[in-house]
Amino acid sequence: MTAPATIDSQDLSDRLSSAAPPRVLDVRTPGEFETAHIAGAYNVPLDLLREHRDEITRHLDEEVVLVCRSGQRAAQAEETLRAAGLGNVHILDGGIVAWEAKGFAVNRGATRDAQTVVSQLVGS
C-alpha cells in the first residue's frame, strides 16, 4: 500500500488558483464545516463518503484533496477512496487547523445538506 500523499496549505492555495484546481472534499461534520471551510470545498462527512464511495469515485476523475480538522479523518477517507480505485488523492497536511494557522482565508456560515452535495458530485 502506498503512503498517503499529503499537500501543504501553500501548495493547495497555489493549486486552487490554477487552471485545473483540485476538487476539495471536506470530510468533517456539517457543523464543523459551517464553522470554517475552504472556499469551493464540498462537505462530504466521512460516514457519507464511505456510504457513497463507489458513486462518488465514478465521478471524480480530477485531483482530489481531502480536508478535515487535523488530518486523521482525511486519512481514513483517503483509504476509502483508494480502495475504491481513486488514485489521485491527497490529504491537506494539518487539515483546516494548519490552513487557518498559515493565514489562508476560510468561509464561515451556511453549509449545504450533505446528501445534496453528494448528488452534486455525482451529477444526479
Side-chain angles (χ1 to χ4, degrees), residues 18 22 27 38 59 61 73 77 82 89 92 95 98 104-105 119-120 124:
S18 72
V27 298
I38 296 169
H59 297 276
D61 51 4
R73 281 174 282 181
R82 284 196 190 275
V89 183
L92 179 61
F104 292 105
S119 296
Q120 289 172 334
S124 54

Side-chain angles (χ1 to χ4, degrees), residues 42 44 48 52 55-56 59 113-124:
Y42 288 87
V44 184
L48 201 60
H52 295 279
E55 59 192 286
I56 289 170
H59 297 276
D113 170 57
Q115 195 68 49
T116 302
V117 171
V118 170
S119 296
Q120 289 172 334
L121 278 171
V122 299
S124 54

Side-chain angles (χ1 to χ4, degrees), residues 6-16 99 104:
T6 58
I7 179 174
D8 68 25
S9 297
Q10 182 62 59
D11 195 8
L12 177 57
S13 178
D14 293 346
R15 290 185 194 196
L16 287 174
W99 177 266
F104 292 105

Side-chain angles (χ1 to χ4, degrees), residues 2-6 15 56-58 60-66 77-91:
T2 52
T6 58
R15 290 185 194 196
I56 289 170
T57 56
R58 276 197 299 273
L60 291 177
D61 51 4
E62 69 267 38
E63 180 180 24
V64 174
V65 177
L66 298 164
E78 188 249 1
E79 279 182 32
T80 298
L81 293 176
R82 284 196 190 275
L86 194 63
N88 204 5
V89 183
H90 305 284
I91 297 168

